[in-house]
Amino acid sequence: MTERIIILDFGSQTTQLIARRVRELNTYSEILPYNKFPYDATDVKGVILSGSPFSVYDEAAFKTDVERLQKKYPVLGICYGAQLMAHNAGGKVEPAGTREYGRANLSYRNPNCRLMKGISDNAQIWMSHGDSITQVPEDFEIIASTKDVPVTAYHIKNSDTFGVQFHPEVFHTLEGTQLLDNFLNICGCAKDWSPASFIETTVANLRAQLGDDKVVLGLSGGVDSSVAAVLLNKAIGKNLTCIFVDHGLLRKNEFENVMRDYEHLGLHVIGVNAKKRFYAELAGVTDPEQKRKIIGKGFIDVFDEEAHKIEDVKWLAQGTIYPDCIESLSITGTVIKSHHNVGGLPDKMKMKLCEPLRLLFKDEVRRVGNELGMMQHLIKRQPFPGPGLAVRILGDITEDKVRIAQECDAIFIDGLREWDLYDQVWQAGVILLPIQSVGVMGDERTYENAVALRAVTSTDAMTADWAHLPYEFLAKMSNEIINKVKGVNRVTYDISSKPPATIEWE
């Protein structure tokens, strides 16, 4: 990367959103823990300080040397970041009478400030804080206020340092993107980071990193591993071998369809039918975590066996993306969760790891796929869990239950496409419930399975809302599933959001 904006994370829930908004402005941004700033880097153009759950006067509050940053870079403090700079400079930060949360309207104190260029007076902003800056040092200039918050935005005179009490990164701050764009202009960013530039840089880096070494990549059929495979194929061609394992818990006909897609992409793919092996190992297992572990270990074993049939493989490639990397570290830099796409493989196989997408968010991966000319149904494919239908079949796994889940899922997903609803939904599927219910078909009493339809909207899967699908569509799906899938006589729709529920049931 030729230039980047560093976002120092003080623990805010919206730090990832800041990074996404900056990248949408064609500027590469990177999130780092508040105490891990790379002072020796030569490519940093500016620094953004995130919000935090702490108060600046808490003993446990996260602190960094903001004065050192201000001397070298343009700095924008958001919420806690703004309070921290004011507090460190001798200003006063105090608890607000009540927590200020929700919409407010901005009123200019200095409309000529570069940070506010192009932003409407009375613009809607979003507040979320328990403290307020009640007094600023002499060299701080207040540039905007609201009815309840006198110091809503400030500028430190004779510097490129700014602070805002509100959150420009969230959707409800209607002109927040303009403010961030203004800050990038203050930083002198070229704003030339794009999918095309990412591909060019990444392919060149992969060639330098891998040389003539052989690489294996575990394909899932999803967008991340598929885009990673196409990038690697562009870089090293015949030295890439992809392995696609069918554990018997994929969607209906998915193994055959995906293998056909990969042929069109010119990839060398080894397809492994391991259904019987996985069904045998899962027989009688009902605990969801145990099911996940069995499938994870089984995949590692099958992948390892296939990879060792290829001579002199030195690298394992994975479709790890940026949120996985962020979530692998706490803001103190401590590893809190392993997020390898195929957990355990690098250690078992003693290979070096190659992750060409580790800098990208999911929507950026899709844009790169578009730039590479990949088929739309691959790029727009909804997320599907690694354990597949094992986490959508509650209870033990049998071949007949897999059949029912696959048939129901196919009707639901095909229906979403036919009704032009598929692209409006982040993730959808059918859950086979571990209960049976009484029904009537013809003149006969039935006692068969119940299923739940699940569809959510989201931007990054960190939070999700249940999709408000048309009643007519849901009625159609219920009718088709009950009429066409032997063994099902009741259909329900899950209207739980995340949180408190999760997207998947297990």
Side-chain angles (χ1 to χ4, degrees):
M1 302 300 166
T2 55
E3 61 181 33
R4 57 180 167 156
I5 295 292
I6 295 294
I7 299 160
L8 287 183
D9 182 20
F10 291 86
S12 171
Q13 293 180 336
T14 61
T15 300
Q16 282 197 38
L17 271 180
I18 303 171
R20 290 168 67 91
R21 296 292 174 261
V22 171
R23 290 187 182 197
E24 286 166 6
L25 293 164
N26 299 322
T27 302
Y28 177 65
S29 62
E30 187 171 347
I31 298 170
L32 294 175
Y34 71 95
N35 56 353
K36 300 291 182 182
F37 188 83
Y39 287 100
D40 56 347
T42 58
D43 59 347
V44 178
K45 300 290 287 185
V47 183
I48 298 177
L49 311 179
S50 83
S52 175
F54 289 108
S55 295
V56 293
Y57 42 76
D58 288 348
E59 287 188 14
F62 299 136
K63 303 287 176 63
T64 196
D65 190 350
V66 292
E67 290 84 359
R68 185 177 178 186
L69 295 173
Q70 290 167 306
K71 288 176 182 176
K72 192 171 182 182
Y73 309 101
V75 177
L76 172 63
I78 294 176
C79 198
Y80 175 90
Q83 295 169 4
L84 180 64
M85 290 192 292
H87 175 75
N88 285 5
K92 189 176 290 186
V93 178
E94 296 179 297
T98 58
R99 180 173 175 80
E100 291 160 334
Y101 181 83
R103 294 175 178 84
N105 293 96
L106 207 59
S107 177
Y108 280 152
R109 297 278 289 276
N110 181 354
N112 298 318
C113 177
R114 289 175 295 163
L115 190 69
M116 294 295 172
K117 183 178 179 181
I119 295 176
S120 309
D121 195 14
N122 206 41
Q124 179 182 295
I125 59 173
W126 185 263
M127 294 286 203
S128 179
H129 59 98
D131 296 336
S132 291
I133 302 167
T134 56
Q135 183 178 320
V136 295
E138 284 186 12
D139 58 344
F140 279 51
E141 172 192 19
I142 300 173
I143 55 177
S145 302
T146 68
K147 181 168 66 73
D148 298 316
V149 182
V151 187
T152 301
Y154 65 73
H155 169 228
I156 300 180
K157 297 174 185 176
N158 303 313
S159 78
D160 288 329
T161 300
F162 305 85
V164 294
Q165 181 64 74
F166 58 94
H167 288 270
E169 71 274 19
V170 303
F171 173 77
H172 300 295
T173 296
L174 299 183
E175 298 177 49
T177 299
Q178 179 65 54
L179 185 144
L180 292 172
D181 190 43
N182 291 340
F183 180 66
L184 298 183
N185 290 335
I186 291 167
C187 294
C189 294
K191 291 186 277 194
D192 57 0
W193 192 70
S194 65
S197 66
F198 172 83
I199 292 167
E200 181 181 358
T201 303
T202 301
V203 168
N205 289 344
L206 287 170
R207 286 173 179 155
Q209 178 187 26
L210 304 172
D212 293 324
D213 292 349
K214 290 184 179 178
V215 179
V216 291
L217 181 146
L219 287 171
S220 68
V223 62
D224 299 337
S225 64
S226 299
V227 171
V230 174
L231 274 173
L232 280 159
N233 191 50
K234 193 175 178 70
I236 63 172
K238 61 180 175 49
N239 283 341
L240 172 68
T241 300
C242 302
I243 299 173
F244 183 29
V245 178
D246 182 2
H247 49 32
L249 297 156
L250 300 172
R251 285 181 156 139
K252 184 179 179 181
N253 300 326
E254 185 172 25
F255 183 71
E256 296 78 12
N257 293 338
V258 170
M259 287 295 290
R260 193 158 50 244
D261 287 338
Y262 287 144
E263 279 183 30
H264 288 302
L265 292 172
L267 300 174
H268 172 47
V269 183
I270 297 171
V272 184
N273 185 339
K275 292 180 184 178
K276 298 294 184 184
R277 176 174 182 163
F278 280 89
Y279 290 158
E281 292 178 357
L282 287 166
V285 178
T286 60
D287 179 73
E289 191 59 27
Q290 193 177 353
K291 284 192 287 186
R292 286 179 179 273
K293 287 179 179 177
I294 289 169
I295 293 167
K297 181 182 182 302
F299 185 90
I300 290 171
D301 291 342
V302 173
F303 190 94
D304 190 40
E305 290 165 14
E306 294 298 324
H308 275 91
K309 296 176 184 176
I310 308 165
E311 293 183 3
D312 301 322
V313 177
K314 295 182 179 178
W315 294 85
L316 170 69
Q318 297 186 159
T320 310
I321 62 175
Y322 196 41
D324 300 337
C325 302
I326 297 168
E327 289 171 11
S328 294
L329 290 176
S330 71
I331 58 173
T332 58
T334 305
V335 176
I336 56 176
K337 184 178 181 182
S338 172
H339 257 283
H340 287 310
N341 278 12
V342 187
L345 268 174
D347 294 336
K348 180 179 177 68
M349 299 177 72
K350 294 181 171 58
M351 292 181 185
K352 291 181 281 187
L353 197 59
C354 175
E355 298 172 317
L357 303 179
R358 64 181 290 110
L359 298 179
L360 300 187
F361 289 103
K362 175 76 78 175
D363 54 338
E364 293 170 330
V365 174
R366 291 195 167 107
R367 290 203 290 272
V368 168
N370 270 320
E371 187 71 26
L372 289 166
M374 294 172 64
M375 293 165 284
Q376 288 300 300
H377 68 272
L378 265 180
I379 297 169
K380 293 183 176 180
R381 185 178 184 269
Q382 292 176 0
F384 188 66
L389 297 176
V391 294
R392 293 182 180 175
I393 297 172
L394 308 192
D396 66 327
I397 307 294
T398 67
E399 287 193 56
D400 191 53
K401 287 183 179 180
V402 172
R403 173 194 64 80
I404 292 172
Q406 286 179 333
E407 295 288 345
C408 294
D409 179 85
I411 290 170
F412 188 33
I413 297 301
D414 289 346
L416 287 168
R417 288 196 171 102
E418 288 167 12
W419 285 60
D420 292 326
L421 296 167
Y422 185 85
D423 292 338
Q424 299 176 32
V425 172
W426 171 269
Q427 192 166 336
V430 177
I431 294 86
L432 178 59
L433 304 177
I435 57 172
Q436 291 181 304
S437 69
V438 174
V440 178
M441 290 188 178
D443 294 324
E444 296 184 3
R445 175 185 182 275
T446 62
Y447 191 60
E448 293 182 331
N449 296 286
V451 299
L453 308 183
R454 178 68 160 151
V456 299
T457 57
S458 182
T459 56
D460 51 20
M462 295 176 69
T463 61
D465 190 18
W466 60 277
H468 295 227
L469 301 176
Y471 290 151
E472 296 82 2
F473 169 75
L474 293 173
K476 175 75 169 173
M477 292 301 97
S478 175
N479 190 54
E480 283 201 27
I481 287 171
I482 291 172
N483 286 340
K484 293 181 178 179
V485 182
K486 184 180 178 182
V488 176
N489 70 353
R490 191 175 297 271
V491 175
T492 66
Y493 187 53
D494 181 353
I495 59 169
S496 310
S497 296
K498 174 188 179 182
T502 54
I503 295 176
E504 298 294 342
W505 279 41
E506 288 191 340

